[in-house]
Amino acid sequence: MAYKKVLTIQDISCIGQCSMTVALPILSASGTETCILPSAVLSNHTAGFSGFTFRDLSEDMPGISAQWKKDRIHFDAVYTGYLGSIEQIGYVRNIIKTHCKGPVIVDPAMADNGKLYVGFDAAYAEEMAKLCCEADITLPNITEACLMTGTEYRTSYDRDYIESLLAKLRERGAKTIVMTGVSYREGRTGVVVNVNGVSTYYEHRKFETGCHGTGDVYASAFVGALMQGFNEQEAARIAADFTLLCIEKTVGDESHWYGVKFELALPAYIRMLGLS
Ligand code: PXL
């Protein structure tokens, strides 16, 4: 069994089952040593609560990196999610350059359903687009892919629309693209994995109600599978099956509107990876 060390950079939302509080347990369950660099600390995530506190940790990043440098700390991969500011994207770029000796996986984690998350603007989206295009693998949803390519967001589309989004991302320099939430027919959705310009599609059932945090659950499970030696297509399928199971365990509980009960699906994830 591979034992890899990954650094994940994303926020700590104290409440809400997203970003670091899902990445850390999911990556650990995958048998991956997980180091963390919090981008910001929030009282809770920014979607649906009455408000939120936000402490940007950008300023701490250069010092943390300088200390790691003294001890020659390196990671087998770096996986980034929700970041705190444009300035921070620059720090993250330097940390990747200094400490990463393997693949860089960037989840833009900035928009969904045609809209940027509260607190982000077009300038942030543009800087994040650049980071995604520098990465070895990026995992945008359709909204994020549209923002990154200046394309009009549509809820109704066909394969040509998705392929043109992928082509535009590749023109901007994107390498492997894992596009989530791609639905070509009623009741079904899936993920397109584009490697070297060639797309494969994994389709699965679609739940009518979307759950918050599934993008983070998906990206974390994908990275965990990748670290275990699965290729991009296999990792994309495992992450999709796991995310579906997380949603299945959550739907019907209206008190749990803020996230998914991913903990209940972790044993199944471990089995999907062949670890038990
Ligand atoms: O799930 C993405 C995410 C991560 N972190 C914070 C968020 C969101 C989405 O709303 O608000 C703080």
Side-chain angles (χ1 to χ4, degrees):
M1 172 182 144
Y3 187 67
K4 296 280 177 79
K5 176 154 75 178
V6 63
L7 171 68
T8 186
I9 311 176
Q10 45 193 312
D11 73 282
I12 296 177
S13 283
C14 300
I15 308 279
Q17 285 171 311
C18 68
S19 40
M20 202 66 96
T21 66
V22 308
L24 190 47
I26 291 172
L27 285 165
S28 296
S30 79
T32 306
E33 179 184 348
T34 309
C35 305
I36 63 165
L37 183 54
S39 58
V41 179
L42 293 86
S43 52
N44 44 264
H45 63 63
T46 62
F49 293 91
S50 58
F52 55 90
T53 69
F54 184 94
R55 179 176 296 275
D56 182 355
L57 297 179
S58 300
E59 265 181 31
D60 292 32
M61 288 188 167
I64 290 172
S65 174
Q67 176 56 44
W68 287 350
K69 213 169 164 180
K70 285 186 199 159
D71 289 311
R72 297 194 171 80
I73 305 280
H74 288 100
F75 306 101
D76 296 308
V78 171
Y79 152 42
T80 73
Y82 184 105
L83 302 180
S85 64
I86 291 186
E87 179 197 28
Q88 191 174 87
I89 294 174
Y91 292 144
V92 165
R93 204 172 262 126
N94 284 338
I95 285 165
I96 289 168
K97 222 179 283 164
T98 311
H99 302 285
C100 187
K101 55 182 178 138
V104 177
I105 302 109
V106 175
D107 176 358
M110 61 179 172
D112 206 359
N113 299 316
K115 284 193 284 231
L116 277 166
Y117 295 148
V118 175
F120 292 148
D121 59 14
Y124 178 87
E126 178 52 27
E127 202 55 29
M128 178 53 83
K130 286 185 197 149
L131 189 69
C132 289
C133 293
E134 290 158 19
D136 298 289
I137 305 176
T138 186
L139 297 101
N141 56 36
I142 295 175
T143 304
E144 290 161 338
C146 287
L147 285 165
M148 286 158 68
T149 57
T151 307
E152 186 198 351
Y153 173 75
R154 291 200 213 145
T155 48
S156 159
Y157 52 80
D158 57 12
R159 276 173 203 270
D160 288 348
Y161 176 78
I162 296 298
E163 284 303 321
S164 96
L165 274 176
L166 292 164
K168 286 191 228 169
L169 283 170
R170 284 181 56 80
E171 272 162 36
R172 280 206 70 166
K175 291 158 203 92
T176 294
I177 305 157
V178 179
M179 192 182 287
T180 52
V182 177
S183 169
Y184 292 129
R185 54 192 174 127
E186 191 99 357
R188 309 288 290 170
T189 189
V191 50
V192 178
V193 181
N194 188 281
V195 181
N196 297 322
V198 179
S199 293
T200 51
Y201 182 53
Y202 179 61
E203 190 183 63
H204 52 75
R205 81 179 161 121
K206 180 179 183 177
F207 285 92
E208 276 328 307
T209 43
C211 292
H212 188 272
T214 48
D216 299 344
V217 167
Y218 184 89
S220 303
F222 174 84
V223 174
L226 206 65
M227 292 300 102
Q228 277 305 311
F230 291 92
N231 68 27
E232 290 90 343
Q233 289 86 357
E234 292 164 338
R237 178 182 47 76
I238 290 169
D241 291 346
F242 171 61
T243 307
L244 270 179
L245 196 59
C246 293
I247 299 170
E248 200 173 298
K249 301 227 177 256
T250 310
V251 287
D253 181 353
E254 280 175 19
S255 70
H256 210 93
W257 56 269
Y258 49 83
V260 284
K261 300 176 179 174
F262 72 95
E263 302 87 349
L264 302 176
L266 283 176
Y269 177 57
I270 292 168
R271 284 193 296 276
M272 288 173 198
L273 295 175
L275 297 176
S276 79

